[in-house]
Amino acid sequence: MLLEREAYGTGYVFVLSTVAEARGEGIGSSLLTFAERCRGTRGMSLIVADNNTGARKLYERHGYKVSARRPIVKNGWESDGENWLLMIKAP
Ligand SMILES: CC(C)(COP(=O)(O)OP(=O)(O)OC[C@H]1O[C@@H](n2cnc3c(N)ncnc32)[C@H](O)[C@@H]1OP(=O)(O)O)[C@@H](O)C(=O)NCCC(=O)NCCS
């Protein structure tokens, strides 16, 4: 993905997911904090769909800011999202 190239020098969170029954209990937050052990010289990064407002709120609370965006190529895939957002947390 083109956006990943813009994440050079960061620790990149490839996937973050918790089981539905255990959401809202702080596990996602703990995992994000744990991942920071792998932060790079430019900090941390991840990619999220613009319509994933819950996850975005969590990332913003952890200091991640939108740094670039690219249109979601759907190819028949159903999604209400319009753009992938690269979010970076500076060191
Ligand atoms: C995003 C996700 C990993 C957060 O994990 P979590 O263990 O619920 O996170 P925490 O308990 O530490 O933090 C809760 C915050 O996550 C966000 N959140 C997103 N979806 C949520 C859900 N279904 N239930 C509760 N919180 C959710 C909210 O911003 C919430 O903040 P709030 O407490 O101020 O409302 C989890 O909701 C998930 O697996 N979602 C589906 C997969 C996904 O969208 N992953 C992100 C892809 S980039």
Side-chain angles (χ1 to χ4, degrees), residues 11-88:
Y12 178 62
V13 178
F14 185 64
V15 175
L16 183 69
S17 186
T18 54
V19 290
E21 308 79 59
R23 285 179 190 158
E25 294 179 9
I27 298 169
S29 267
S30 297
L31 289 170
L32 271 183
T33 301
F34 180 81
E36 287 190 20
R37 295 174 185 202
C38 299
R39 69 179 165 270
T41 51
R42 289 181 67 227
M44 295 294 298
S45 67
L46 50 82
I47 291 174
V48 61
D50 56 1
N51 64 326
N52 194 345
T53 48
R56 283 177 64 184
K57 204 168 91 181
L58 173 66
Y59 302 148
E60 280 161 10
R61 220 169 48 218
H62 276 260
Y64 287 76
K65 294 190 168 68
V66 175
S67 117
R69 66 185 68 223
R70 298 255 189 242
I72 296 174
V73 179
K74 299 190 180 168
N75 281 337
W77 176 54
E78 281 186 30
S79 165
D80 292 332
E82 292 297 323
N83 289 286
W84 293 115
L85 308 177
L86 172 66
M87 298 186 78
I88 289 187

